[in-house]
Amino acid sequence: MAKPMTDDADDATVVDHGSSSSPAQNSPTPISTPLLTGGANETSMAKVDAALNSTKPASKSSEPVLEVTCNYFDESLTVVCYKCELFFHKRCLPEPLANISENNWSCTLCKDDPNLIVSGEKKPNLAGTQRSKMPSAKQTKQRGGGVTRVKTNTCTIVSKDHIGSIPGVHVGQSWRYRIHVSESGIHRPPVAGIAGSAKKPAVSIVLAGGYPEDIDRGEEFVYTGSGGYDLSGNSQQRKAQSFDQELTRQNRGLALACAAPIDETVGATANNWKQSSPIRVCRSYKAAKKHPEYSPAEGVRYDGLYRIVKYWKEKGVCGLYVWRYLFRRDDPEPAPWTDAGKAFIEKMGFTMYDPDVDVDGRTGKFKAESALASTKRTSNVSESNCQSVVAKKYKFQPTAILRELVRLDTENTRMWASINEKKYATESAYIEATKRHLSCPICQELVQQPVTLPCDHNVCCSCLRRSMNAFGNICPMCCHDFSSMGTKDDIKDKVNQNLVTIMRALIPSYGSEWMTEPKVTTTQFARRQGQLVD
């Protein structure tokens, strides 16, 4: 016969299933199904029901099982299991909880068996369990592999296999560390000197004077391929080449960039070197030991685009074979070691990217206070002069053509005002800021075929059409009704071509996947001419 609980538990009743009146204390009882909102699922409920059924008495003499039925949800008296996501009353637990721990709490059905934990390794012993049959149980490599992992920013303006110059990065820009060269997109590998593979042409290299066969004449240089060294043992010791280089991996990627057939025996020469794939070239301060006239005194500097004239195989200084590549410069911007290049760097206001001093991340935004302090510390100048030095680092300004294109994009006036009111150190920082404002709220990528809604939000045309199928004519960002723009078939003609033109001016490769040339509708052309459109 059921009898009520104490005064502090008047919202539950206890049902006796046996002859004895003492409750079973071997498992907690979850709150009944009507209260399992926002967490429980059928799998979790089935697991709990199976466990409860297994504890039912085998004979009439066994202890009874308690069944709690709650009439209302009291959050102050409940705790949730972080594994099965079921709610339990603190007073109904085998060991009532006075306070809820800040750590994750699990019920007795989900709690890990301490006997499965191997002392010292803190790793479950899976022998004899179902998990021992899974492929992951046989994995011996530990996560991280003993190598320190550093979370870095990644250039998202272009893909990692992008061929040619990076939008917003110009010849003469330099960085203190290789990791920031990688973040800029100029040369992605933070350690390797060649960015390429055996299946795709190489896209960038770094000259660091690592091979004695390297020859640098500025406009031309002879680059030695990778490999031939035993990298085991102490990495601090200078090692000699121990085996022949092969035309594989990055070496083959350089050969693929040459406008000549692949020849693994002797190499090949391009019939027209101008048709070779352009490769971005950086010079490191390490190369200044052999060629100081063309290399920077510190950091890593971007020196422009080069093309491979020929590649060949020959015996190196150590008497073993190496692959060599003749690069020739082909970039419209002046080389940074020339007078014209130095004037270009001065005009653009380029300074070394040094996050240890005054730069905040890849955005290129300078910390004014730290920059001012570092300038005072390193030079005996007045505060006003220091401020003028720091102000030079914010020298980037959009060109007159870009400002005119922005003025024509009347649908995004508020967005462009927000972007242009801030100061930027480099053009790449300006592009990054623009990209953040033009992220599609559906696919979370840079908006493609942008449609500007009346609420000033920009959405990909294809994403917006799918959203209209599911939710109708409402903005996926703010739920603003844009029925005035017509049906989803009409949206195809609503692409903001002014915004497309701006993005192609900032990022030349923008839209290469979905268009061959800008298409301007009659209505949009009339608007550009200042004509009234119904």
Side-chain angles (χ1 to χ4, degrees), residues 26-81:
N26 57 349
S27 64
T29 307
I31 299 175
S32 59
T33 304
L35 294 176
L36 294 175
T37 58
N41 50 52
E42 295 180 0
T43 304
S44 301
M45 289 299 297
K47 182 177 70 172
V48 174
D49 292 341
L52 290 177
N53 291 336
S54 64
T55 61
K56 288 186 177 180
S59 62
K60 293 184 179 180
S61 61
S62 302
E63 292 183 348
V65 175
L66 296 184
E67 192 174 90
V68 179
T69 304
C70 303
N71 298 323
Y72 67 92
F73 181 80
D74 189 350
E75 184 178 0
S76 63
L77 299 176
T78 58
V79 63
V80 61
C81 173

Side-chain angles (χ1 to χ4, degrees), residues 159-299:
S159 65
K160 65 177 183 179
D161 298 323
H162 175 73
I163 297 175
S165 59
I166 302 297
V169 182
H170 299 276
V171 172
Q173 289 187 241
S174 58
W175 302 262
R176 174 71 66 183
Y177 304 114
R178 278 283 298 271
I179 190 63
H180 299 113
V181 180
S182 174
E183 293 176 359
S184 68
I186 285 293
H187 184 74
R188 302 274 181 149
V191 177
I194 304 174
S197 66
K199 297 182 179 180
K200 296 181 180 180
V203 296
S204 62
I205 64 170
V206 173
L207 284 173
Y211 290 86
E213 296 85 3
D214 290 347
I215 300 175
D216 194 353
R217 303 187 186 94
E219 294 292 329
E220 286 187 349
F221 63 86
V222 177
Y223 186 78
T224 306
S226 63
Y229 287 82
D230 184 7
L231 300 180
S232 61
N234 187 357
S235 60
Q236 301 299 325
Q237 294 179 349
R238 180 68 179 178
K239 299 180 180 180
Q241 185 177 349
S242 57
F243 55 91
D244 295 336
Q245 291 185 358
E246 298 178 352
L247 196 65
T248 58
R249 304 178 67 179
Q250 290 93 340
N251 291 346
R252 191 178 184 87
L254 288 174
L256 290 174
C258 181
I262 298 295
D263 190 331
E264 299 180 358
T265 306
V266 296
T269 302
N271 294 328
N272 183 0
W273 68 274
K274 287 278 189 178
Q275 294 180 355
S276 295
S277 178
I279 296 177
R280 299 184 295 273
V281 173
C282 295
R283 282 181 170 87
S284 170
Y285 72 96
K286 297 179 180 180
K289 297 178 181 178
K290 297 181 179 179
H291 309 284
E293 62 273 24
Y294 305 116
S295 304
E298 53 183 351

Side-chain angles (χ1 to χ4, degrees), residues 236-532:
Q236 301 299 325
Q237 294 179 349
R238 180 68 179 178
K239 299 180 180 180
Q241 185 177 349
S242 57
F243 55 91
D244 295 336
Q245 291 185 358
E246 298 178 352
L247 196 65
T248 58
R249 304 178 67 179
Q250 290 93 340
N251 291 346
R252 191 178 184 87
L254 288 174
L256 290 174
C258 181
I262 298 295
D263 190 331
E264 299 180 358
T265 306
V266 296
T269 302
N271 294 328
N272 183 0
W273 68 274
K274 287 278 189 178
Q275 294 180 355
S276 295
S277 178
I279 296 177
R280 299 184 295 273
V281 173
C282 295
R283 282 181 170 87
S284 170
Y285 72 96
K286 297 179 180 180
K289 297 178 181 178
K290 297 181 179 179
H291 309 284
E293 62 273 24
Y294 305 116
S295 304
E298 53 183 351
V300 182
R301 185 187 65 207
Y302 174 54
D303 287 352
L305 299 177
Y306 285 70
R307 299 178 190 267
I308 297 179
V309 179
K310 63 178 180 178
Y311 66 97
W312 67 97
K313 184 179 182 180
E314 68 176 26
K315 284 190 177 182
V317 175
C318 297
L320 298 172
Y321 284 103
V322 295
W323 283 96
R324 311 190 71 187
Y325 305 83
L326 175 60
F327 282 76
R328 185 171 296 164
R329 196 170 192 275
D330 184 27
D331 197 293
E333 295 182 343
W337 58 83
T338 63
D339 293 338
K342 294 176 182 178
F344 178 76
I345 293 174
E346 179 66 23
K347 175 183 177 182
M348 299 294 291
F350 293 151
T351 56
M352 178 174 293
Y353 182 95
D354 190 350
D356 294 339
V357 179
D358 52 12
V359 183
D360 184 14
R362 188 192 175 279
T363 59
K365 296 180 180 178
F366 286 84
K367 303 174 185 177
E369 295 180 0
S370 61
L372 184 61
S374 64
T375 304
K376 287 182 179 179
R377 186 170 57 252
T378 56
S379 58
N380 297 322
V381 294
S382 62
E383 182 173 352
S384 60
N385 290 337
C386 287
Q387 292 178 349
S388 63
V389 171
V390 174
K392 290 181 180 179
K393 297 182 179 181
Y394 294 97
K395 198 169 184 177
F396 172 76
Q397 292 292 337
T399 62
I401 296 177
L402 185 59
R403 290 197 299 268
E404 178 62 17
L405 293 175
V406 169
R407 187 189 66 81
L408 293 174
D409 187 17
T410 56
E411 298 178 76
N412 290 296
T413 302
R414 187 168 61 178
M415 180 193 73
W416 291 117
S418 176
I419 294 175
N420 292 328
E421 70 180 2
K422 299 179 181 179
K423 297 179 180 180
Y424 303 94
T426 61
E427 184 180 350
S428 59
Y430 183 84
I431 295 175
E432 283 288 343
T434 303
K435 184 178 179 296
R436 287 194 296 271
H437 280 79
L438 291 175
S439 176
C440 175
I442 297 178
C443 66
Q444 301 297 312
E445 300 290 342
L446 178 62
V447 62
Q448 303 292 328
Q449 292 181 296
V451 176
T452 305
L453 302 179
C455 55
D456 294 344
H457 290 124
N458 291 278
V459 189
C460 300
C461 181
S462 57
C463 293
L464 184 60
R465 285 164 56 84
R466 290 196 301 270
S467 175
M468 293 173 70
N469 282 335
F471 306 106
N473 292 33
I474 60 173
C475 174
M477 190 71 175
C478 65
C479 297
H480 180 83
D481 189 351
F482 60 88
S483 300
S484 59
M485 297 185 69
T487 64
K488 71 171 188 176
D489 293 331
D490 298 329
I491 293 297
K492 293 180 179 180
D493 298 328
K494 304 294 183 180
V495 175
N496 188 343
Q497 295 296 340
N498 289 323
L499 183 56
V500 171
T501 305
I502 294 173
M503 294 308 299
R504 286 185 64 83
L506 292 174
I507 308 175
S509 61
Y510 177 80
S512 58
E513 299 86 359
W514 45 266
M515 79 173 190
T516 55
E517 59 182 12
K519 297 180 180 179
V520 181
T521 63
T522 304
T523 302
Q524 291 169 337
F525 181 78
R527 287 176 177 173
R528 289 187 181 183
Q529 302 300 318
Q531 302 176 10
L532 296 177

